[in-house]
């Protein structure tokens, strides 16, 4: 069904492309000059859709004021001020203001960090400027720019196409039409339909090239595009992460419990004869301090800061939740070419007519020359236009072929001119081959290159200068196998003469009855860091799996070299095997198989699903259009930033800016660190709150007066929760972080004894406070309240230093390994001393200066909290010491990895 879109007034589709280019003042062979592009950018603005604006300062302030408990506290403080002490009210107001300011700063920082990440993930475009091809952010395109499109590209602006090669575009985002549209470059007739979907020579912003190539001239950018007109901004960014949602839900339940406790405290106080208003203020202050309303915001900050650090190690997080889920990955399915290998292809040898040629040697015969000609003509590498004329850009396989051609005396640029390409069947990883047709002096010649199993069935003979000769395909395949077994990438080359230009749409006609030329073997060395990354994975309980479009023997050889499989003759599951396995059988196979070869991208999704059915948590890499479904299906879709397509990036949650397998492992490590730090923050904040509640709630049981004034409670909440909590984001990774198994995704944030810790250390802190209170009261000290106030603040500082690691003792971590935290602790300590010793603050906080002995007692009592955590850690160390090693030893590759 055609969508009912309003015909546009532009009518570009009716006009000749060259004429439009003239009108736009651009030469399609050169593009705009940089100066002209800058001028136009000033006139037209950035090529971006106006986003629904982020949260402004006002809405952040409003969000803070909406907090119900803060409003109740304000009301109570004002009421008590009206009746009695106005200075109390003012002090409470001040602290609440400061608290709100910190809350706003946290939310603002989270928003900024997320916006910065979005910026990094922005789409790119290939544009011709001043005769050079450049990759630029799509936002800098201006009308008149000449843009190149390839399968997998997002169309960056509204383009009038001037050249297409089998270009197909998925316009469903704009028109609702789900079938990809085949594009053309010729002008359409005046009486053709004006529906967007029918403008075959236009490509619209927001749609996606799914096949072929094309070049277009930018006619409209930003809000002037068709997409801008319908203003349909596809904002897929998720507002909150699962962890944040879980925390928010938990916060609500906890708030109810805290309110209940505060009510009981209030009731007990009143029963004991305390004043109604002071008691109400105490109870409400406690509720404000103990309700963890800031948890979700702090978690966002920790995740976003973590995501920024990941970007620095070349892992760009597109969806914030994946930062927290990365730590749960149990299987990483990775491409081979470029991810595990260097993608620095080099032709090792050419085997033709029974003789080998190695680049650097002189060519042994005409067949070799013809094979090299096929390799450089059936080739999309482009001259980079840089200062060195010999520089070629494009697929590394193809640029390697151009270099090999040159060393055999065949110059691609000259050959492209002598035998211009008139038609092509682009490479796609499903067919695993490509063909180009070139016009010669009297006829046409088609060259094909691709995977041997894909090209040989199309060959009927062997090419020789004297005419076709018989071809022994089985023997050639055997030779290809032998080369692949050495880890080489093998391509077969073939050709065919056509007296007339074949029909471009009849694939079967173009790629049949070919004459075989030879086999080319390329070397693509494994990445140096990949073997270490594989070893890290295995140690961390993560299974690395290779899924490649390459030959099974090549895949196996590389997998063995990297330690992915333990034996040279390890099992390899091929795409053909996959097709013959039903889902149950596949589930069995994926339990053992570590290498999948000659796999179509479309088959990747079955592998992901089979792994998931076995309970695995899968990270899957991909770069092409067809990889998108598998990337979306995997828990963590990982796209290539350098060589990947926009579509793959859009479907992924993580983009590797360096296309490197080791970066995935680094991201997993970082994800584990961030999750650990979130747990540390929750552990710290909740234990502090629990200490405050127990202190106030238990005092009456020991017949002690209420230990703290409302202002003390609010102050403690202010100085302890804000800075030290956030500084935990800078905590380095735990030492054995990659030697423990992945965290089950459903595991509670409070697992591994966190609840027990919160309750017991909270009780200990309360015990210390009440002990000091009782001791001071018994000694007739007037400043007993100042001492309790100090112990409660400083014991939280001792606690935060001790919980920096779940296992390693503080003296081994060293204070300098987290300088922001050290600074936060020292600052809090200083502020607390100020509250005790600065006269004006004595008035506000109703404190009294402590003598050296009393201060010493406070310090001693506070450090007990830290010592208790150290004892708990020592006990935990004993329990887990040998677990990780035992697991690594169980892995089949362990003996080779040691
Ligand atoms: P991976 O999936 O690990 O990235 P790959 O690059 O080998 O590996 P594909 O790009 O799907 O996967 O390529 C599959 C096969 O197609 C290759 O093994 C090769 O034989 C052939 N091939 C790759 N690139 C080209 C090309 N530019 N022209 C012709 N054939 C190619």
């Amino acid at each position: 069904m055609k969508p009912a879109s309003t015909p546009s007034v532009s009518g570009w589709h009716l006009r000749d492309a060259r004429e439009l280019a003239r009108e736009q003042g651009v030469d399609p062979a050169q593009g705009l000059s940089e100066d002209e592009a800058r001028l136009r950018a000033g006139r037209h603005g950035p090529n971006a859709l106006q986003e629904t604006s982020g949260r402004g300062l006002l809405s952040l302030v409003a969000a803070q004021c909406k907090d119900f408990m803060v409003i109740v506290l304000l009301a109570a403080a004002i009421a008590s001020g009206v009746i009695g002490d106005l200075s109390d009210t003012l002090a409470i107001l001040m602290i609440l203001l400061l608290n709100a300011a910190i809350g706003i700063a946290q939310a603002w920082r989270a928003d900024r960090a997320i916006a910065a990440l979005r910026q990094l993930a922005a789409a790119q475009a290939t544009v011709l400027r001043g005769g050079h091809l450049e990759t630029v952010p799509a936002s800098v395109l201006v009308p008149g720019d000449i843009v190149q499109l390839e399968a997998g590209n997002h169309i960056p602006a509204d383009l009038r196409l001037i050249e297409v090669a089998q270009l197909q575009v998925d316009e469903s985002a704009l028109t609702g039409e789900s079938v990809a549209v085949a594009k053309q470059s010729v002008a359409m007739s005046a009486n053709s339909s004006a529906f967007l979907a029918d403008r075959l020579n236009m490509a619209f912003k927001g749609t996606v090239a799914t096949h072929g190539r094309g070049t277009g001239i930018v006619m409209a950018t930003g809000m002037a595009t068709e997409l801008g007109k319908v203003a349909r901004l596809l904002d897929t960014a998720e507002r909150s992460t699962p962890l944040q949602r879980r925390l928010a839900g938990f916060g609500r339940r906890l708030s109810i419990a805290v309110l209940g406790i505060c009510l009981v405290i209030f009731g007990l106080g009143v029963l004991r004869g305390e004043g109604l208003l002071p008691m109400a203020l105490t109870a409400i202050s406690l509720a404000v301090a103990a309700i963890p309303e800031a948890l979700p915001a702090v978690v966002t900050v920790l995740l976003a800061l973590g995501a920024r650090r990941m970007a620095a190690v070349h892992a760009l997080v597109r969806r914030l939740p994946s930062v927290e889920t990365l730590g749960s990955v149990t299987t990483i399915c990775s491409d081979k070419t470029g991810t595990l290998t260097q993608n620095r292809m080099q032709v090792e040898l050419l085997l033709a007519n029974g003789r080998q040629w190695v680049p650097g040697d002189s060519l042994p015969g005409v067949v070799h020359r013809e094979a090299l000609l096929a390799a450089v003509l059936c080739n999309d590498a482009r001259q980079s236009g840089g200062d060195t004329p010999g520089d070629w850009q494009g697929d590394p396989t193809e640029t390697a072929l151009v270099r090999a051609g040159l060393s055999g005396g065949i110059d691609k640029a000259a050959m492209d001119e002598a035998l211009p390409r008139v038609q092509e069947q682009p490479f796609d990883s499903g067919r695993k081959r490509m063909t180009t047709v070139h016009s010669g002096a009297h006829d046409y010649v088609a060259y094909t290159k691709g995977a041997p199993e894909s090209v040989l069935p199309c060959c009927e003979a062997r090419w020789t200068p004297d005419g076709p000769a018989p071809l022994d395909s089985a023997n050639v395949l055997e030779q290809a196998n032998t080369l692949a077994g050495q880890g080489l990438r093998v391509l077969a080359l073939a050709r065919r003469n056509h007296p007339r230009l074949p029909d471009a749409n009849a694939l079967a006609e173009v790629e049949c009855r070919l004459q075989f030329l030879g086999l080319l073997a390329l070397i693509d060395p494994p990445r140096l860091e990949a073997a270490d990354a594989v070893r890290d994975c295995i140690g961390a309980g993560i299974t690395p799996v290779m899924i490649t479009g390459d030959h099974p023997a090549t895949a196996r050889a590389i997998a063995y070299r990297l330690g992915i499989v333990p034996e040279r003759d390890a099992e390899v599951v091929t795409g053909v095997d996959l097709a013959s396995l039903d889902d149950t059988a596949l589930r069995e196979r994926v339990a053992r198989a570590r290498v999948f070869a000659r796999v179509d991208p479309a088959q990747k999704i079955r592998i992901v699903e089979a792994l998931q059915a076995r309970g695995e948590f899968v990270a899957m890499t991909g770069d092409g259009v067809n990889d998108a479904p598998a990337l979306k299906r995997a828990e963590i879709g990982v796209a290539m930033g350098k060589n990947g397509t926009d579509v793959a990036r859009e479907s992924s949650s993580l983009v590797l800016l360096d296309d490197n397998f080791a970066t995935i492992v680094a991201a997993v490590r970082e994800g584990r660190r961030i999750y650990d730090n979130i747990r540390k923050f929750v552990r710290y904040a909740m234990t502090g709150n629990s200490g405050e509640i127990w202190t106030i709630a238990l005092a009456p049981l020991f017949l002690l007066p209420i230990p703290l004034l409302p202002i003390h409670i609010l102050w403690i909440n202010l100085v302890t929760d804000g800075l030290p909590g956030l500084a935990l984001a800078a905590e380095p990774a735990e030492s054995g972080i990659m030697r423990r198994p992945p965290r089950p995704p459903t595991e509670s944030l409070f697992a591994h004894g966190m609840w027990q810790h919160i309750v017991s250390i909270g009780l200990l802190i309360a015990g210390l406070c009440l002990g000091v209170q009782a001791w001071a009261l018994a000694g007739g000290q007037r400043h007993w309240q100042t001492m309790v106030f100090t112990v409660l603040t400083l014991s939280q500082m001792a606690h935060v230093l001790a919980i920096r690691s779940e296992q390693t003792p503080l003296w081994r971590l060293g204070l300098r390994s987290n300088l922001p935290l050290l600074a936060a602790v020292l600052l809090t300590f200083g502020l607390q001393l100020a509250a005790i010793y600065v006269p004006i603050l004595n008035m506000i906080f109703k404190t009294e200066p402590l003598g050296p002995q009393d201060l010493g007692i406070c310090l001693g009592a506070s450090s007990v909290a830290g010592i208790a955590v150290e004892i708990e850690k020592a006990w935990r160390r004993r329990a887990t010491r040998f677990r990780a090693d035992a697991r690594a030893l169980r892995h089949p590759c362990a003996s080779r990895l040691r």
Side-chain angles (χ1 to χ4, degrees):
M1 200 191 78
K2 290 274 146 67
S5 79
T6 344
S8 148
V9 287
S10 63
W12 293 313
H13 59 296
L14 305 174
R15 314 220 354 236
D16 181 60
R18 307 275 144 188
E19 187 187 310
L20 284 170
R22 260 195 309 281
E23 210 171 273
Q24 290 282 347
V26 61
D27 170 5
Q30 290 292 314
L32 295 175
S33 68
E34 289 293 348
D35 289 342
E36 179 61 25
R38 243 192 312 277
L39 269 179
R40 292 188 188 195
R43 228 172 325 151
H44 295 274
N47 174 30
L49 300 180
Q50 277 154 22
E51 279 200 50
T52 40
S53 61
R55 288 189 288 175
L57 196 62
L58 268 182
S59 67
L60 290 178
V61 174
Q64 291 296 319
C65 298
K66 266 192 279 181
D67 191 330
F68 175 69
M69 284 318 295
V70 172
I71 294 171
V72 174
L73 179 65
L74 270 178
I78 291 170
S80 89
V82 171
I83 303 170
D85 186 356
L86 201 65
S87 69
D88 247 14
T89 312
L90 285 178
I92 289 178
L93 279 177
M94 280 295 297
I95 291 192
L96 282 182
L97 266 179
L98 274 174
N99 228 338
I102 291 183
I104 291 168
Q106 278 169 355
W108 190 78
R109 189 159 184 198
D111 282 7
R112 287 311 95 178
I114 291 170
L117 286 178
R118 280 221 198 112
Q119 196 69 34
L120 275 175
Q124 308 263 309
T126 309
V127 62
L128 190 65
R129 290 251 175 103
H132 300 324
L133 272 182
E134 290 172 28
T135 305
V136 297
S139 60
V140 307
L141 291 184
V142 292
D145 262 332
I146 304 294
V147 170
Q148 294 223 340
L149 299 174
E150 275 180 15
N153 284 169
H154 262 278
I155 312 292
D158 282 2
L159 309 176
R160 170 68 167 85
L161 297 165
I162 46 183
E163 190 203 325
V164 296
Q166 312 285 320
L167 180 68
Q168 291 181 12
V169 178
D170 171 359
E171 298 186 329
S172 53
L174 195 61
T175 64
E177 189 74 67
S178 59
V179 183
V181 185
K183 292 291 177 180
Q184 63 180 45
S185 59
V186 290
M188 301 183 65
S189 69
N191 53 7
S192 59
S193 146
F195 287 116
L196 290 187
D198 294 327
R199 296 185 198 179
L200 300 181
N201 52 19
M202 295 287 298
F204 297 105
K205 182 176 174 73
T207 61
V208 175
T210 54
H211 185 80
R213 291 187 303 115
T215 307
I217 165 166
V218 173
M219 302 306 298
T221 57
M223 293 305 282
T225 58
E226 294 298 331
L227 183 66
K229 284 182 200 155
V230 290
R232 269 234 320 252
L233 177 57
L234 304 171
D235 187 9
T236 48
E238 279 153 72
R239 291 266 166 236
S240 59
T241 74
L243 183 60
Q244 281 169 307
R245 285 194 290 274
R246 277 207 324 253
L247 271 179
F250 157 78
R252 274 192 295 276
R253 287 193 300 277
L254 191 74
S255 307
I256 295 172
V258 169
L259 284 178
I261 295 175
C262 291
L263 261 178
V264 172
I265 290 176
F266 173 73
L268 283 179
V270 173
L271 281 181
R272 278 202 324 174
E274 307 271 356
L276 212 60
L277 252 165
M279 226 24 247
L281 261 184
T282 307
I284 301 169
S285 305
L286 190 60
V288 170
I291 289 175
E293 73 287 344
L295 271 190
V298 174
V299 167
T300 311
V301 174
L302 291 189
L303 290 175
L305 286 181
R308 268 217 325 235
R309 270 179 63 141
M310 283 196 194
V313 293
H314 300 129
L316 188 66
V317 176
R318 291 194 65 258
R319 298 188 223 294
L320 214 47
S322 34
V323 177
E324 75 193 48
T325 44
L326 265 168
S328 296
V329 167
T330 60
T331 304
I332 301 179
C333 296
S334 172
D335 282 343
K336 172 182 71 69
T337 311
T339 317
L340 289 162
T341 63
Q342 298 181 13
N343 215 0
R344 279 213 205 118
M345 304 271 177
Q346 210 178 325
V347 172
E348 187 86 341
L349 59 94
L350 167 65
L351 191 59
N353 210 13
R355 290 172 69 186
Q356 269 194 21
W357 170 77
V358 177
D361 292 356
S362 51
L363 283 180
V366 185
V367 186
H368 293 82
R369 192 189 139 73
E370 191 63 19
L372 275 186
L373 196 60
V376 301
L377 282 175
C378 180
N379 189 317
D380 288 330
R382 298 178 299 252
Q383 204 139 21
S384 65
D387 295 336
T388 15
D391 266 1
W392 290 81
Q393 279 183 345
D395 178 353
T397 304
E398 303 205 321
T399 49
L401 299 186
V402 176
R403 285 197 306 274
L406 214 55
S407 96
I410 297 174
D411 176 14
K412 176 168 168 59
M415 284 303 145
D416 278 341
E417 233 164 81
L419 292 167
R421 185 191 290 193
V422 286
Q423 208 184 80
E424 66 190 84
Q425 301 294 340
F427 172 74
D428 90 54
S429 34
R431 288 188 312 130
K432 297 186 175 38
R433 59 174 185 260
M434 69 180 278
T435 299
T436 54
V437 184
H438 303 259
S439 83
H442 310 293
D443 58 1
Y444 296 90
V445 57
Y447 289 112
T448 301
K449 79 174 192 311
E453 323 87 276
S454 161
V455 174
L456 279 160
C458 310
C459 296
E460 59 173 17
R462 204 158 48 80
W463 184 86
T464 71
D466 311 322
L471 169 70
D472 182 353
S473 295
N475 185 34
V476 177
L477 279 177
E478 192 53 46
Q479 288 170 338
N481 259 340
T482 311
L483 291 169
Q486 297 161 24
L488 297 167
R489 181 179 178 85
V490 191
L491 290 177
L493 301 157
R495 55 160 285 157
R496 178 181 168 187
N497 273 73
H498 290 274
R500 279 185 314 277
L501 188 62
D503 176 2
N505 296 321
L507 244 184
E509 189 198 328
V510 187
E511 290 181 335
C512 72
R513 303 182 50 206
L514 304 179
Q515 296 186 354
F516 176 72
L517 289 166
L519 293 176
L520 253 172
L522 296 103
I523 184 161
D524 178 17
R527 282 181 181 267
L528 298 177
E529 61 282 37
D532 285 344
V534 164
R535 193 173 24 229
D536 282 352
C537 267
I538 294 169
I542 302 168
T543 310
V545 172
M546 177 193 281
I547 304 181
T548 174
D550 214 336
H551 194 285
T554 317
R556 184 192 288 123
I558 303 276
Y560 176 73
R561 257 184 247 174
L562 292 174
I564 292 175
V565 289
E567 324 89 17
R568 267 177 210 283
D569 56 349
E571 172 193 10
V572 176
V573 180
T574 64
V576 178
D577 297 340
L578 271 177
S580 69
L581 293 175
D582 65 14
D583 288 348
T584 327
L586 180 59
R587 233 172 281 161
E588 297 287 306
R589 282 300 271 282
V590 295
R592 282 170 289 128
R594 299 286 174 266
V595 184
F596 295 82
R598 286 289 188 240
V599 171
D600 279 348
Q603 290 177 316
K604 283 184 170 180
I605 192 153
R606 284 194 68 209
I607 303 177
V608 175
E609 284 173 349
L611 284 165
Q612 286 171 332
R614 296 194 66 86
E616 301 288 335
F617 200 87
V618 184
M620 159 79 83
T621 68
D623 48 16
V625 189
N626 307 344
D627 289 331
L631 290 178
K632 279 193 189 141
R633 187 72 175 82
E635 274 83 8
I636 306 272
V638 185
M640 302 300 142
K642 263 168 62 186
N643 293 318
T645 57
D646 295 338
V647 180
R649 275 194 286 270
E650 280 283 281
S651 317
S652 66
S653 32
L654 193 71
V655 178
L656 304 180
L657 299 177
D658 56 0
D659 296 7
N660 188 347
F661 177 78
T663 304
I664 311 177
V665 183
V668 168
R669 182 188 156 89
E670 191 57 21
R672 288 185 174 196
R673 185 188 74 87
I674 294 164
Y675 191 83
D676 279 357
N677 288 351
I678 291 175
R679 258 174 64 89
K680 284 170 195 171
F681 174 75
V682 173
R683 182 191 293 271
Y684 162 67
M686 301 286 294
T687 307
N689 290 355
S690 134
E692 289 155 29
I693 290 190
W694 290 129
T695 307
I696 308 265
L698 295 182
L701 284 189
F702 296 101
L703 302 176
L704 292 168
I706 295 180
L708 295 165
L709 295 176
I711 189 153
H712 296 153
I713 301 172
L714 294 172
W715 172 256
I716 291 172
N717 186 42
L718 178 75
V719 294
T720 58
D721 268 13
L723 284 178
L726 273 186
L728 281 172
E731 196 53 47
E734 298 261 351
S735 61
I737 198 160
M738 289 304 267
R739 266 179 282 129
R740 62 181 197 221
R743 166 177 56 85
T746 48
E747 183 182 280
S748 156
L749 187 68
F750 296 92
H752 307 294
M754 177 118 96
W755 266 127
Q756 292 86 320
H757 177 99
I758 291 170
V759 174
S760 59
I761 302 292
L763 272 172
L764 176 73
I765 291 177
L768 293 167
C769 290
L770 297 180
V772 167
Q773 184 184 8
W775 175 82
L777 278 171
Q781 315 260 29
R782 282 190 335 167
H783 49 245
W784 60 269
Q785 202 163 43
T786 307
M787 291 183 76
V788 176
F789 178 33
T790 307
V791 173
L792 195 47
T793 308
L794 298 189
S795 57
Q796 293 192 44
M797 295 304 99
H799 180 246
V800 77
L801 287 174
I803 56 114
R804 282 183 47 203
S805 166
E806 293 208 9
Q807 305 243 339
T808 318
L810 180 59
W811 55 89
R812 270 220 256 126
L813 288 175
L815 286 174
R816 276 179 304 175
S817 53
N818 185 349
L819 286 177
L821 184 68
L822 182 63
V825 167
L826 288 178
L827 182 70
T828 310
F829 188 68
L831 287 173
Q832 184 63 26
L833 290 186
I836 305 174
Y837 294 107
V838 175
I840 173 126
L841 295 180
N842 288 150
M843 269 163 54
I844 295 176
F845 289 105
K846 305 209 167 50
T847 47
E848 287 174 34
L850 299 178
Q853 191 202 347
D854 289 344
L855 184 63
I857 287 174
C858 289
L859 288 174
S862 304
S863 51
V864 172
I867 295 168
V869 177
E870 288 300 340
I871 295 170
E872 182 197 1
K873 280 174 10 186
W875 175 75
R876 204 178 292 141
R877 276 198 299 278
R878 266 186 47 153
T880 54
R881 190 162 299 152
F882 302 109
R883 236 181 266 156
D885 288 349
R887 210 183 41 256
L889 283 175
R890 278 201 301 274
H891 192 274
C893 287
S895 57
R896 285 189 49 221
L897 293 173
R898 251 174 289 142

